[in-house]
Amino acid sequence: ATSRLLVNYQEPYRSQILDYLFKPNFGASLHILKVEIGGDGQSTDGTEPSHMHYENDENYFRGYEWWLMKEAKKRNPKIKLIGLPWTFPAWIGKGENWPYDYPDVTAYYIVSWILGAKQYHDLDIDYIGIWNERAFSSKYIKLLRYTLDKHGLQQVRIIASDRLWEPISFVLLLDSELHGVVDVIGAHYPGTKTVPNALLTKKKLWSSEDYSTFNDEVGAGCWARILNQNYVNGNMTATIAWNLVASYYEELPFGRCGLMTAQEPWSGHYKVEAPIWITAHTTQFTQPGWSYLQVDGHLEGGGSFVALTDGLGNLTIIIETMTHNHSQCIRPPLLHFSVTPQRATFYLKGSFYMVETLQVWHSRLGFESGNSSLFQQLHPVKVWKGSFSLDLNVDEVYTLTTLKTGKKCGCPEPPPPQPFPSNYKDDFNIRNPPFSEAPNFADQTGVFEYFINASDPGDHVFTLRQVVVQRPITWVSDADQTISLIGNFQWVNMTVTCDIYIENQRDGGVFIAGRVDNGGIYVRRTKGVFFWVFADGTYRVTGDLAGEEILMKGLSGVRDNVWHTLTLNIQGTSASGLLNGYPLWENVTISKPSNGWAAIGTRSFEFAQFDNFHVEA
C-alpha cells in the first residue's frame, strides 16, 4: 500500500514522478515492476482492495495497481510485471485464516487477476508469486501451474517462495514435479548471500524483495552495494526494491523507504532521492536478457564490480566502493568490512579486446561534505591493448560501458513542500471517479470505496462505503475494527465532522476520530480520540481503536439506516462531541496521544457509509 498518495498528484507532477521511475534513459529506468495483488488486508502501510471482495464479485478497476502497471508499460513496453498476494479475501479460506485448504479456489482467484489484467487493461503479467513471506504449499503451486496452462497462460512464470532460501530450495531438490513448475527462487533480504541447495537447483535466483531502507545517502549506499553484491556473493540476477516510491504518510511504518519520495499530492512536492541515480548506474546500461560475466567481482581494496553483456558485443561494468557505515541496509545486520582508496586495473579479453573506449558515469556519495555528486558523465576511458586503470575512492559508483544512450534527465523543480490542508472537505460527489477510493484516505483495516446509493434520492447519493464484511486471510494483525486515516500526523487541535450511516441492524457501529497515532502493521495498537455511535442507540468515547479505554459513554438515540452527523472537537486536553449539531458529550479529558491523524471507521467488518467529511485543524 505504498503508492497510495501518488495517484492524486496533479499533472504535470504525477507524470514527472512516473518518468523518473519508468522512462528509459531518463532516471531509474526500472526493468521490473512488482505489485501487490490486493486482498483487502493490511500489507504494511495500508490495505489494498481485492478484485473479488466476495465470491460472486469481480471488479478489475479497484485500487491503483492497474493504473500503475499501465503507466509503467506506457513508458517502457519491455518492463517485466510481477504480481504477489499478501492477503486474501475471507471467502478464499471459507472461514479459516489460511489460503491452501481449497487450493483450487485460490488458484482460480489468482488466475482471474492475471486474466483480468489482460482483458481489461491489456497487461501481460510475466511472473506470479505464491504468498508474501508466508508458508507455501507444493500442492497449491502445482495446481497454480495447471490452472495457468489451462487458461493459455503458459508464458506466465512462477516465482517461489518470497521468503527465505529454505525450505523452498530443499523441497525443489526432493520433488521433481515441483522443480518442473517453479521457474525462479525468490528470497527476501538475503544479505547478498545464497545457500548451497539454492545453487544446486540450477534455478534463476532473485532477491525478490530487498532494500527497505530510509532513502538518504546511507540508503543509496545500501542499494549500490546490494545491486552488485547480490550477484557477486549470491549469484542473484535480479534485485527488487521495496518500495518503488514513498507515497504514503511518512509516519506510517518504514516512512520514506522508497527509491524516491512523493508523499504530498496536495502540494505537488516530491523529491528525486539518491537511490534513483544509483539505480540508473545499472538499469540504463543493461536490460533483462543481458548476461552477467562470471568474473570474481571482489576488488582488492574492498568493494565490488560486475560485468554484463548483451551477447552482441556490448559491455557494461559497474563498480561500487561503499564503506560499511555508509551502506547499512535496514536488514539483515552487516558484518564489518573495510574499503580503502585503490587503483584497479581491468583486462578485457576475447571479443572485448577490441573495445577502444568506454563511456563513464560516476556517483560519489558525500557523507562528510554533505554534497553528493550523482550520475555524472565523465570523460570516456581509453582502453589500451585490452586494459585500463581507474583510481577508485570510497563511497563511489562507476559505470563503464560501450553504450552511448545514458542520460540524466531533470524536470523543473517541483513546488515547495506544504503541510496537508488544515481545512479539508470531501463530499464524495463524483459520478465517474478515476479511482475506486477517495483521495488521501489511507485505509488501514477494511476498504473504503466510492459508492452510489441508489436507494437514497436525497443528499446522500454519492458516499464512501466500507465494503469488507468478513475478516480477510491476514498477513499481519489487522484490527477487529475498520479504519481509514487522513491528514497531518502533527495535528493537535481539530474538529472532525462527518455524516454517517450504520447499515448493520442491532450490532452495527461507526466512529470518527482525531489524534490517531498509528497504522500499518501496528494498526491494532492505535490510540487517539474515538467517538463511536452504535445501532443500539448508545455512544462511546474511547482512547483507542480497540475500544477498551472508555472515556465516556451514554445514550445517543442513533439508529441504523438513518443518516446522522457526528462532530468531534479536540482542543488541548479536552474533547467534546456533537450529534446532528447538538452537544452530546463534553469536557472529556485527553492525556495522550498529543497529536495525530483524523480517521473514520466501523465497529467490525460491516457495511457502513460516510459522507460530507470535513476536518479543520
Side-chain angles (χ1 to χ4, degrees):
T2 47
S3 313
R4 181 68 196 95
L5 298 173
L6 179 61
V7 297
N8 52 299
Y9 265 81
Q10 298 299 303
E11 294 298 347
Y13 311 115
R14 189 174 73 175
S15 288
Q16 289 168 7
I17 296 162
L18 292 161
D19 285 348
Y20 277 117
L21 295 169
F22 299 120
K23 193 172 174 183
N25 299 314
F26 188 93
S29 306
L30 293 166
H31 296 169
I32 298 172
L33 172 61
K34 178 174 183 173
V35 302
E36 174 180 348
I37 298 175
D40 295 339
Q42 174 61 244
S43 55
T44 297
D45 285 300
T47 65
E48 293 202 28
S50 170
H51 59 290
M52 301 174 84
H53 293 315
Y54 331 108
E55 206 165 346
N56 57 354
D57 163 63
E58 273 184 90
N59 181 327
Y60 297 93
F61 296 91
R62 292 186 184 128
Y64 35 85
E65 302 294 10
W66 310 111
W67 168 83
L68 187 62
M69 288 189 282
K70 282 190 287 192
E71 293 295 329
K73 276 280 187 192
K74 200 190 287 181
R75 287 164 174 80
N76 176 9
K78 294 213 279 262
I79 198 166
K80 300 290 179 191
L81 298 177
I82 310 180
L84 175 67
W86 269 245
T87 70
F88 300 86
W91 62 270
I92 295 281
K94 304 197 182 180
E96 295 297 316
N97 197 31
W98 190 246
Y100 302 133
D101 286 343
Y102 304 92
D104 50 329
V105 174
T106 309
Y108 157 76
Y109 167 82
I110 293 296
V111 170
S112 296
W113 184 86
I114 300 171
L115 291 169
K118 182 65 178 172
Q119 185 180 341
Y120 296 99
H121 305 287
D122 199 24
L123 292 166
D124 291 300
I125 305 299
D126 297 289
Y127 296 87
I128 197 76
I130 307 306
W131 187 13
N132 182 67
E133 289 171 3
R134 297 293 177 262
F136 67 89
S137 146
S138 299
K139 182 182 174 187
Y140 165 70
I141 296 174
K142 293 168 191 174
L143 199 58
L144 177 61
R145 178 75 269 163
Y146 171 78
T147 313
L148 286 164
D149 293 349
K150 198 174 79 180
H151 288 90
L153 296 167
Q154 286 82 2
Q155 79 286 357
V156 178
R157 302 272 146 234
I158 291 177
I159 175 164
S161 70
D162 280 291
R163 198 174 188 178
L164 302 171
W165 294 116
E166 299 290 15
I168 186 68
S169 301
F170 179 66
V171 174
L172 285 175
L173 292 172
L174 287 181
D175 183 336
S176 61
E177 192 192 343
L178 190 67
H179 191 279
V181 301
V182 171
D183 299 280
V184 178
I185 303 178
H188 286 197
Y189 307 95
T192 77
K193 306 284 199 298
T194 186
V195 299
N197 279 344
L199 294 166
L200 283 173
T201 65
K202 301 276 198 282
K203 294 289 179 190
K204 287 192 173 79
L205 307 183
W206 290 6
S207 175
S208 55
E209 185 178 316
D210 218 325
Y211 177 65
S212 189
T213 300
F214 191 80
N215 60 20
D216 59 7
E217 261 61 23
V218 176
C222 150
W223 186 227
R225 181 174 57 76
I226 65 178
L227 275 176
N228 264 19
Q229 296 192 24
N230 276 346
Y231 178 74
V232 172
N233 301 333
N235 228 36
M236 289 166 258
T237 55
T239 297
I240 301 176
W242 188 88
N243 54 65
L244 173 73
V245 52
S247 290
Y248 47 101
Y249 292 114
E250 193 175 329
E251 297 81 6
L252 286 168
F254 307 106
R256 270 188 58 189
C257 288
L259 296 178
M260 64 180 282
T261 307
Q263 56 193 20
E264 285 192 21
W266 47 87
S267 73
H269 179 73
Y270 64 86
K271 191 155 183 259
V272 184
E273 311 283 2
I276 289 287
W277 300 117
I278 295 301
T279 310
H281 273 283
T282 296
T283 51
Q284 288 204 20
F285 309 105
T286 59
Q287 282 302 317
W290 281 46
S291 302
Y292 280 94
L293 299 177
Q294 294 182 10
V295 293
D296 172 79
H298 295 96
L299 293 167
E300 224 162 278
S304 68
F305 70 96
V306 292
L308 297 101
T309 182
D310 60 355
L312 305 170
N314 281 308
L315 172 68
T316 292
I317 300 167
I318 304 138
I319 305 164
E320 63 78 26
T321 58
M322 295 302 139
T323 54
H324 178 273
N325 290 2
H326 291 163
S327 69
Q328 284 176 285
C329 304
I330 198 167
R331 66 181 81 88
L334 184 59
L335 295 174
H336 186 75
F337 61 87
S338 62
V339 181
T340 50
Q342 58 194 308
R343 171 157 246 216
T345 303
F346 292 82
Y347 299 92
L348 306 187
K349 297 191 171 163
S351 58
F352 298 125
Y353 184 79
M354 306 310 292
V355 171
E356 291 174 8
T357 56
L358 291 167
Q359 307 300 312
V360 182
W361 292 81
H362 172 256
S363 292
R364 187 194 68 254
L365 296 173
F367 292 90
E368 275 63 47
S369 63
N371 59 348
S372 295
S373 158
L374 295 168
F375 201 60
Q376 297 298 320
Q377 188 163 19
L378 307 183
H379 286 296
V381 160
K382 290 268 176 275
V383 183
W384 179 248
K385 290 193 176 164
S387 86
F388 64 91
S389 297
L390 274 183
D391 288 310
L392 306 173
N393 214 323
V394 299
D395 297 329
E396 291 190 316
V397 181
Y398 279 92
T399 301
L400 298 110
T401 180
T402 53
L403 296 180
K404 296 190 167 131
T405 46
K407 262 200 210 71
K408 182 173 185 181
C409 284
C411 298
E413 274 295 292
Q418 300 273 348
F420 191 93
S422 56
N423 189 346
Y424 184 84
K425 286 182 173 145
D426 195 338
D427 60 12
F428 313 118
N429 289 358
I430 176 162
R431 192 169 288 281
N432 293 305
F435 294 98
S436 59
E437 300 167 285
N440 303 316
F441 279 92
D443 305 349
Q444 301 301 315
T445 295
V447 169
F448 294 73
E449 292 179 349
Y450 284 121
F451 182 64
I452 297 183
N453 198 344
S455 63
D456 190 323
D459 304 333
H460 300 287
V461 176
F462 298 98
T463 66
L464 195 68
R465 191 188 199 204
Q466 199 297 115
V467 295
V468 180
V469 293
Q470 279 178 289
R471 185 178 186 79
I473 296 174
T474 55
W475 182 70
V476 286
S477 300
D478 294 41
D480 298 323
Q481 305 75 21
T482 72
I483 179 171
S484 190
L485 309 171
I486 190 167
N488 183 342
F489 186 77
Q490 308 309 329
W491 281 345
V492 177
N493 297 329
M494 61 179 90
T495 302
V496 183
T497 302
C498 194
D499 298 343
I500 61 92
Y501 186 86
I502 301 169
E503 296 190 44
N504 259 25
Q505 294 169 350
R506 290 181 304 283
D507 55 356
V510 303
F511 69 80
I512 63 171
R515 288 193 194 170
V516 174
D517 75 344
N518 239 319
I521 50 179
Y522 308 119
V523 66
R524 275 189 89 79
R525 61 173 93 146
T526 301
K527 306 270 188 275
V529 183
F530 293 81
F531 173 17
W532 309 77
V533 291
F534 303 108
D536 66 3
T538 62
Y539 78 88
R540 276 189 182 185
V541 185
T542 68
D544 61 340
L545 174 63
E548 286 159 8
E549 189 193 321
I550 298 167
L551 307 174
M552 181 81 116
K553 60 182 192 174
L555 295 171
S556 68
V558 165
R559 20 187 243 285
D560 59 81
N561 292 284
V562 179
W563 283 96
H564 300 276
T565 304
L566 302 185
T567 306
L568 170 65
N569 187 15
I570 310 171
Q571 301 293 328
T573 57
S574 177
S576 59
L578 291 85
L579 173 63
N580 301 328
Y582 295 96
L584 182 63
W585 52 274
E586 51 198 358
N587 299 331
V588 169
T589 303
I590 308 300
S591 49
K592 55 179 194 278
S594 54
N595 56 281
W597 294 289
I600 57 174
T602 66
R603 174 193 218 164
S604 64
F605 290 98
E606 61 184 277
F607 286 124
Q609 292 176 57
F610 302 85
D611 202 359
N612 300 315
F613 176 86
H614 183 198
V615 57
E616 245 180 306

